[in-house]
Amino acid sequence: MASPKPRFRGEDAVRDLDAALRTMKREGCHLLVTGEVDARVADRATRRLFGDPNYDRKRVLAAPDPSTHVDRCLPVDVSPTDPAVWVVDPTGRARSIPPSAGDYTLPDADDDGSDLERLRQELVQAVAFYADAGDGLAPAELRVGVASADALLERDDRHAVEQFLRTLGALVRGVDGMGHVQVALPDDHPTVASLSPLFDARIELRRRDGLVPEQRWHVPDRDVTTAWTQL
């Protein structure tokens, strides 16, 4: 028996997406951002997913690719040196941590192990730091983003990357946070198909010649694909 086709457009799809977003914000989620777009469009998506700068958010940005422009990934008026921002870099070059986290022993590029393992270790530390601070975290207060997983997919064992993404998803959902991972691949790419079950939804990006960047959401559990809208 054929699988039901995703529902496009229409009030039902919008209503289902709104319900899914409310659930994901309340219970935590892990999102896969796809699409062959330039870095500035991908950075814009990350800024939006990191949330309104006027609200209290704790933001953890992982930059496994040395070409990542950290400032472009953060919302306007949010700085890498803000106490509510932790920039994770397995090489240590772009790392920025809150002053009150200075006692943490962070992974060092000279340590044994891979960049992927060091990335995992520091992400665990960053999430634990914010979860343990003050009165803990409200739903959707913590935002975690991996600016680009492309370098990980190119240089690391696929099974190891999938295990890393699975661990990250459990970590973020465990504190009712919202996480996202960027891959610069078409949404119908086989790699996206293999990674998709690790995520709660996908956000597909595109930019057609002369037009503004657009996005559409795919929520497999609800068989919903939205219409394209401006990013």
Side-chain angles (χ1 to χ4, degrees), residues 3-66:
S3 300
K5 292 183 179 180
R7 283 174 285 162
F8 293 84
R9 311 175 187 274
E11 294 182 0
D12 286 347
V14 172
R15 192 159 47 241
D16 282 353
L17 178 62
D18 287 344
L21 288 175
R22 287 195 298 270
T23 299
M24 287 189 281
K25 286 184 176 181
R26 184 175 64 250
E27 300 179 357
C29 64
H30 200 206
L31 308 172
L32 182 62
V33 183
T34 69
E36 287 185 298
V37 294
D38 64 49
R40 289 187 177 275
V41 174
D43 293 345
R44 182 188 296 193
T46 289
R47 285 198 303 274
R48 290 177 61 88
L49 289 166
F50 270 142
D52 190 325
N54 296 312
Y55 287 86
D56 184 19
R57 299 282 184 262
K58 307 300 186 292
R59 301 175 175 92
V60 179
L61 172 65
D65 187 331

Side-chain angles (χ1 to χ4, degrees), residues 41 44-45 48 203-208 211-217 226-231:
V41 174
R44 182 188 296 193
R48 290 177 61 88
I203 304 172
E204 183 181 0
L205 307 177
R206 74 177 182 185
R207 185 168 195 173
R208 295 178 291 175
L211 299 176
V212 298
E214 295 176 298
Q215 64 175 347
R216 66 176 178 179
W217 285 66
T226 67
W228 288 101
T229 59
Q230 184 172 331
L231 178 62

Side-chain angles (χ1 to χ4, degrees), residues 4 17 19 71 76 91-93 96 100 113 119 128 142 175 189 196 203 224:
L17 178 62
D71 289 330
V76 176
T91 70
R93 288 189 295 265
S96 179
S100 55
L119 185 67
L142 178 72
V175 293
H189 193 280
S196 187
I203 304 172
V224 168

Side-chain angles (χ1 to χ4, degrees), residues 48-138:
R48 290 177 61 88
L49 289 166
F50 270 142
D52 190 325
N54 296 312
Y55 287 86
D56 184 19
R57 299 282 184 262
K58 307 300 186 292
R59 301 175 175 92
V60 179
L61 172 65
D65 187 331
S67 67
T68 298
H69 293 270
V70 171
D71 289 330
R72 291 202 322 230
C73 293
L74 296 173
V76 176
D77 297 328
V78 174
S79 165
T81 58
D82 287 351
V85 173
W86 187 313
V87 179
V88 177
D89 178 358
T91 70
R93 288 189 295 265
R95 176 185 286 144
S96 179
I97 69 172
S100 55
D103 292 337
Y104 276 64
T105 301
L106 301 174
D108 190 278
D110 293 329
D111 293 343
D112 292 337
S114 65
D115 281 353
L116 185 64
E117 176 58 18
R118 285 189 284 273
L119 185 67
R120 185 198 66 79
Q121 291 175 0
E122 190 171 346
L123 280 165
V124 169
Q125 290 177 305
V127 172
F129 169 77
Y130 288 122
D132 294 342
D135 297 325
L137 294 164

Side-chain angles (χ1 to χ4, degrees), residues 141-162:
E141 182 180 351
L142 178 72
R143 305 296 175 99
V144 179
V146 178
S148 172
D150 298 319
L152 303 179
L153 291 167
E154 290 171 1
R155 71 174 180 243
D156 290 289
D157 174 73
R158 176 62 61 84
H159 176 74
V161 174
E162 290 181 356

